[in-house]
Each structure stands twice: as C-alpha cells, then as structure tokens.
Amino acid sequence: MEDFPLNIPDFGNADFRLFAAAFNASSNGVIITDHSQPDDPIIYCNKAFESLTGYSRKEIIGHNCRFLQSNDRSQESRILLKEAVKKGSHCQVLIRNYKKDGRAIWNELMISPIRNAKGDVSHFIGIQNDVTKRVEAEQNLLEERELLDDKVRERTQTLEESEAYLSAIVETIRESLVVLDKQMRITSANRNFREFFKISQQKILGKEIFEIGHHQWDIPELRELLFNILPHNNPIEGFEMETEFEAIGRKMLILNARQMTLKGKYQDRILLAIEDITERKALEHRKEDFINIASHEMKTPLTSIKGNLQLLEKIARRRNDESYFKGFKTAGKSIDRLERLIYELLDVARIQSGKIEFSFETFELSKLINESAAIMEAEFPSHKIIISGDLNNTIEGDFGRLEQVMINLLSNAVKYSPNSQSVRIHVACLSDYCKISVMDSGLGIHSRDHKRIFERFYRADEISEKFPGVGIGLYVCSQIIKEHHGTLWVESEEQNGSSFSFTIPMKQK
Ligand code: ADP
C-alpha cells in the first residue's frame, strides 16, 4: 500500500505524529479543525476522508466542514453540531452529507474538542463513518414495515367489510343458521332461525343448543355428531329429526353442520344449517299414498278386463276368427304391460312402507335365465336374446322377484336399443356369488346418471321425452337385489350401450 503523507500540522508533540499515522490507516474519515481560527477551518484530513467525500485534500484544507452539507442545511443534527462547537463539547450525530459528485451519504459523525494547557478548546477532531448502506437498509425496512402495516390495515378493512357482507347474507338467507362454539353454545343465530322457531336472541345467545326450548335438540345421536365435528373435521350431512316445538308444532328438520373455515376468531366454530322439510315430507307421503291407492284401484278393474279378454280370446279361437284373434293378442300384451306397471307401483309403495315380502327357495339358474328370456322374446320379437356363461348352478332366492329383475333389465335393454336386434345375458359364478349381466348396444347412459337412475322416478333427460316410462323399474330392482344381499350397478357410456349387472350370494344366510 502506498504511504499517505502525514501532512500534519506541527503541534510540537511527537505523540501526535504517532496518532496521525494511526488516523491514516483508519477506514473512518478523520478531520481536525482549528478552533482558534475564525470559522473553524479544517487543518487536517486523512485518506479515508478523501475517499469518503470524493474531495481531494487540497479542496478540503482551509474550509469549514459545512461544504459537506451542500444546500441541505435544515437538518436538525446541524443545530446540535453547531451548539457543541459553541459550547466546546463532545457530540455524535447522524447527518446527511453530499459527496463531490452530488451523491448523498449518511455520515455518522462524532466531534470531540481538543483542549490546550489552559483548558481552552484549541481544535476539534471529527470522525466520520459512512453508514449509508445501513441507513438505507433501515429505511427500506421501515418502508416495508409501513407497507406491511398498510396491507394489514387494508386486509382488516376488507375482512371487516366481508364480515359485514357475510352477516348480511346470513341474515337474509332463507335457511335457519346457527353458529356454535366448542362447547356447543350458540354465539349467533340468523333472523330466519329466530323467526322460524319464534325465539328471541336473548333466550339463546350463550346457551348450549341442547338446553334451549324444551331440550328438543338434546338428541344423543346429534350430540355425538356435533361434538365430533371440531376434533375430526367431520361434517354432519343430512341428519333428519322430527320433534314437537311448543311454538310451532311438530316439525321435520334436516341438519347440516360443518366447521367454519375462516381462520382467526371463527376457527373453532360450527355452522349449523337447519332446513324445514315438514311440508316436503308431507307432500311425499301424499304422493306415495296417491300412488298406492291409485294402483290398488286400478288393479281390480284391470284383473276383470284381463279375465274377460282371455274369455273372449278363447271364444274367438273356438270360432277360428283370425281378425278378432290378432286384436285380442295385441290388447293382451298392452294389458300385461299395464299390469306390470301397476304391480311395480304397488311394489314402490310396499318398499316405502317396508311391507314387501320375499319367499326364498332354491332353483336352477338356467330356469331363471331361460324363462325370463322366453317371456321377453315372446313380448319383443324384434330382439334376440343371446345367453352365454355358466348356467349350471342352483341359487337361493325369490324366483318371482328375481325374474321380475331380469324382465325389467331385459325390457330396458330392448327399449333403449331400438336400432339393434339383440341383447345379451351373461352368467358367471364367482366364488360363492353369482353374477348376471344384461347387455345392450343401445343409447347408453351418461356417467352423471349412473347412480341417479336407481332412484325413484328418475329418468335420464336425453330419453325421457322419446321413450315411455315412469322411472321406477330400476328402483324396484335395486331394492329386490338388496333384499338378496347383493348389488346392482351399471357400466355404460353415452351412445355405447349399457351393461347392467347384479351379484347375489348363491346361498342366502
Ligand atoms: P323407465 O325405463 O321407466 O324410465 P327405469 O327405472 O327402468 O325406468 O330406468 C330409469 C332410467 O334409466 C331410464 O329412464 C333410462 O334413462 C335409464 N336406463 C335404464 N336402462 C337403460 C338402458 N338399458 N339403456 C339406456 N338407459 C337406460
């Protein structure tokens, strides 16, 4: 390293030369001003001061330090410095200075007086430290913190707004909603809840849901389900309850409840939604009653028509009258279809009331398959029934009911494959189960309907206008198979045919 000339004034003190040599090696800028001269001129600067300010020694010596402040003269730290110089005291400030090229730097400046033998201040020594990077980092941090504060403020405001928005929705929604805390105490209930149950806010807030009213909500099963929500995030879906309420009478309710997912103050809360299904259930019952009564009422005259038609057919046959004979045959088929529909409707009613009966027996699988196929071929000569698989087994079940299933599946297969000439039955015996599949190459079923077609009165949109039907056949079939401890399902793609299969145990337990 090149030696920086000491260039020190002669204070007549050898020790000072030693210190000055040390100053030159320092990375801090060091200056000395002569206080005995007017305007405190700089009489010494070290090398670091030159590089710190960008000024050369010759531009520094003789000047007052104020040139470092450029035109930025209103800083508070400047006043502190001035006072310290006046009083001849020590002072440390952070001051904004300017390099020769105009760039601002942050200077951590320390000034100390040097006193002569009489105790008067003769000089000031100034040590400068460029802390621009640190100050800038601090400023950035501050700005970021402010930005963050702004964001938090903004977010809080949005949250408050959305809370108000949410509570407006909750208040206007036509469903009864209640919020519960961990201990199942009601923290809020919306207007619909209060109006529907005719109960005031004061009577429920802070109370355990089980103790409100006449303890109508204190149902052990509901208790268990509710207490299970928070620990395991286990929602309640479709819990039905029927209870007498003093103010509003007997009600059938359906409950859904889940943990509230809003983090923070709503974290450990449960949102309970209560739907009144009393009317809907009553309507369903009336519909079921109607179906039941109507099918019963239709059954008697139909039996009479059928009997008389058979009688007339016999007479026509005896008289060998071809034209009558054909007419009777067509009418007979229509009556069979009508009869099947009436029996199915009656089955629906029986299933609903749990009154459907089964009589189990052991029979040959081949008998079930061949007889069903024969009935179908007689009724729908348009389609051939192709049978494959292993039919050499006996199974235990209700023959009549299983035949009903087969005929249902086969007639659907025929009905929904108008452009093909055959449907297939495949039988397989797998372990102690027997699997029977009915396959067609018809219109197929969209995957969204694969489950729903087994519901009562459900028909796929695409076909409901083009094909007659009421949508109960598959429902009855699935109930029959369920009673046989088996399963019924469909595999199908739109326009690619369908395959309905059921499995039942070969032996019923
Ligand atoms: P229905 O045939 O009287 O409508 P089902 O309960 O037997 O009543 O069938 C319910 C629905 O399932 C039908 O409306 C139809 O949409 C669909 N479906 C049943 N079988 C088939 C099949 N083989 N191919 C295509 N769709 C079918």
Side-chain angles (χ1 to χ4, degrees):
M1 202 174 80
E2 199 186 312
D3 272 349
F4 187 73
L6 288 179
N7 294 320
I8 51 160
D10 187 4
F11 292 95
N13 184 341
D15 283 350
F16 188 78
R17 293 186 64 81
L18 201 65
F19 286 130
F23 290 157
N24 270 350
S26 162
S27 62
N28 289 345
V30 181
I31 50 166
I32 297 171
T33 60
D34 188 347
H35 194 55
S36 61
Q37 306 281 336
D39 207 22
D40 282 274
I42 300 171
I43 54 165
Y44 167 79
C45 76
N46 71 347
K47 188 182 175 188
F49 187 80
E50 280 188 309
S51 47
L52 191 116
T53 59
Y55 291 97
S56 66
R57 190 171 172 274
K58 66 172 184 254
E59 294 165 304
I60 298 167
I61 301 296
H63 288 259
N64 178 284
C65 297
R66 78 176 70 86
F67 72 92
L68 286 174
Q69 276 147 33
S70 186
N71 295 323
D72 188 2
R73 314 191 70 81
S74 53
Q75 298 179 64
E76 247 177 61
S77 39
R78 207 180 138 245
I79 301 166
L80 294 176
L81 275 176
K82 246 178 139 178
E83 269 173 19
V85 172
K86 210 163 129 193
K87 282 192 208 150
S89 58
H90 173 90
C91 165
Q92 182 169 354
V93 291
L94 181 68
I95 189 161
R96 204 167 38 237
N97 284 160
Y98 294 85
K99 280 178 174 263
K100 188 179 174 185
D101 62 10
R103 263 186 298 150
I105 54 163
W106 282 102
N107 187 0
E108 199 172 58
L109 172 63
M110 201 174 76
I111 60 164
S112 283
I114 302 171
R115 295 181 188 274
N116 59 19
K118 283 193 260 162
D120 298 330
V121 176
S122 61
H123 298 84
F124 271 97
I125 180 158
I127 315 271
Q128 354 258 324
N129 192 7
D130 181 356
V131 290
T132 314
K133 282 209 176 91
R134 194 193 80 200
V135 174
E136 276 175 3
E138 279 167 6
Q139 275 176 345
N140 283 346
L141 206 69
L142 208 71
E143 273 168 26
E144 268 171 30
R145 203 169 291 159
E146 271 168 15
L147 215 70
L148 207 70
D149 280 352
D150 281 352
K151 275 202 182 135
V152 169
R153 231 177 327 234
E154 226 171 78
R155 185 133 169 66
T156 320
Q157 194 186 344
T158 331
L159 267 179
E160 277 165 6
E161 277 167 13
S162 29
E163 203 178 313
Y165 180 67
L166 271 180
S167 63
I169 295 177
V170 166
E171 275 301 292
T172 36
I173 216 156
R174 287 197 56 212
E175 206 173 12
S176 297
L177 297 175
V178 177
V179 179
L180 305 172
D181 68 9
K182 257 190 200 162
Q183 285 83 30
M184 301 307 142
R185 284 182 306 230
I186 298 176
T187 61
S188 69
N190 74 344
R191 183 160 35 159
N192 199 282
F193 180 89
R194 299 183 314 259
E195 285 177 2
F196 179 76
F197 292 100
K198 299 202 181 350
I199 198 157
S200 69
Q201 192 87 270
Q202 299 94 286
K203 282 198 175 153
I204 50 172
L205 283 193
K207 294 239 172 76
E208 235 189 53
I209 183 157
F210 311 117
E211 56 172 333
I212 64 167
H214 286 103
H215 299 258
Q216 288 96 338
W217 305 89
D218 197 359
I219 303 165
E221 203 187 338
L222 178 62
R223 229 177 215 279
E224 196 184 326
L225 288 171
L226 281 171
F227 277 111
N228 238 328
I229 296 179
L230 293 180
H232 310 293
N233 199 3
N234 251 357
I236 300 181
E237 270 159 17
F239 178 85
E240 284 189 21
M241 60 181 265
E242 193 176 355
T243 322
E244 188 76 34
F245 291 91
E246 204 180 9
I248 54 170
R250 193 155 199 86
K251 291 287 166 200
M252 181 103 197
L253 306 172
I254 192 154
L255 271 52
N256 287 295
R258 57 184 57 246
Q259 176 170 14
M260 288 178 67
T261 43
L262 284 170
K263 289 261 174 283
K265 71 180 192 191
Y266 298 113
Q267 208 167 1
D268 286 329
R269 300 278 162 91
I270 294 170
L271 181 66
L272 173 65
I274 302 144
E275 195 188 342
D276 172 27
I277 53 164
T278 320
E279 281 290 306
R280 203 203 310 161
K281 280 279 167 186
L283 209 69
E284 262 175 39
H285 276 133
R286 280 205 289 278
K287 197 165 79 185
E288 269 153 25
D289 286 351
F290 168 76
I291 294 169
N292 201 358
I293 294 165
S295 32
H296 262 112
E297 289 303 310
M298 283 191 280
K299 207 173 99 184
T300 326
L302 193 74
T303 317
S304 150
I305 296 171
K306 196 176 173 184
N308 282 302
L309 204 71
Q310 278 165 353
L311 197 70
L312 288 170
E313 193 187 347
K314 259 188 208 157
I315 298 169
R317 207 189 285 264
R318 231 179 282 142
R319 290 192 186 159
N320 228 352
D321 195 327
E322 260 305 306
S323 55
Y324 277 115
F325 189 57
K326 247 180 143 178
F328 286 133
K329 212 172 161 189
T330 327
K333 272 191 188 170
S334 300
I335 285 175
D336 283 345
R337 273 223 298 278
L338 196 58
E339 198 178 32
R340 232 179 8 242
L341 175 64
I342 290 170
Y343 277 105
E344 263 177 3
L345 285 170
L346 281 170
D347 279 344
V348 172
R350 284 192 200 112
I351 291 167
Q352 288 316 115
S353 58
K355 284 187 193 143
I356 190 161
E357 279 177 10
F358 288 85
S359 67
F360 289 91
E361 56 180 319
T362 303
F363 56 85
E364 299 285 330
L365 249 179
S366 55
K367 184 172 179 249
L368 173 72
I369 304 300
N370 292 332
E371 276 186 22
S372 318
I375 294 170
M376 287 319 293
E377 275 183 338
E379 197 169 331
F380 301 107
S382 56
H383 287 66
K384 195 170 162 33
I385 299 192
I386 303 160
I387 302 168
S388 61
D390 176 12
L391 277 71
N392 296 320
N393 268 301
T394 54
I395 57 162
E396 206 181 321
D398 184 321
F399 184 85
R401 289 291 181 192
L402 289 177
E403 190 174 66
Q404 187 182 347
V405 173
M406 285 305 297
I407 288 176
N408 232 307
L409 298 181
L410 286 167
S411 53
N412 276 349
V414 170
K415 178 160 69 167
Y416 299 117
S417 65
N419 299 326
S420 71
Q421 279 103 43
S422 62
V423 296
R424 287 188 295 132
I425 302 177
H426 185 78
V427 183
C429 290
L430 317 155
S431 170
D432 49 346
Y433 277 84
C434 137
K435 176 182 174 187
I436 301 175
S437 306
V438 174
M439 293 161 281
D440 65 66
S441 41
L443 303 165
I445 303 158
H446 193 289
S447 57
R448 67 166 176 263
D449 289 329
H450 284 187
K451 279 217 159 63
R452 298 210 64 191
I453 52 171
F454 297 100
E455 289 172 13
R456 268 183 308 166
F457 306 114
Y458 186 83
R459 309 195 71 216
D461 277 348
E462 297 78 26
I463 56 96
S464 58
E465 279 165 21
K466 296 185 210 129
F467 296 88
V470 277
I472 50 171
L474 287 180
Y475 169 72
V476 173
C477 290
S478 63
Q479 296 300 316
I480 294 174
I481 296 302
K482 206 164 136 195
E483 284 296 326
H484 281 79
H485 309 103
T487 48
L488 166 65
W489 72 96
V490 66
E491 280 151 300
S492 175
E493 268 175 35
E494 257 187 314
Q495 305 306 331
N496 250 336
S498 308
S499 167
F500 282 86
S501 304
F502 65 85
T503 51
I504 49 168
M506 313 267 265
K507 279 200 176 358
Q508 296 292 325
K509 288 199 181 86

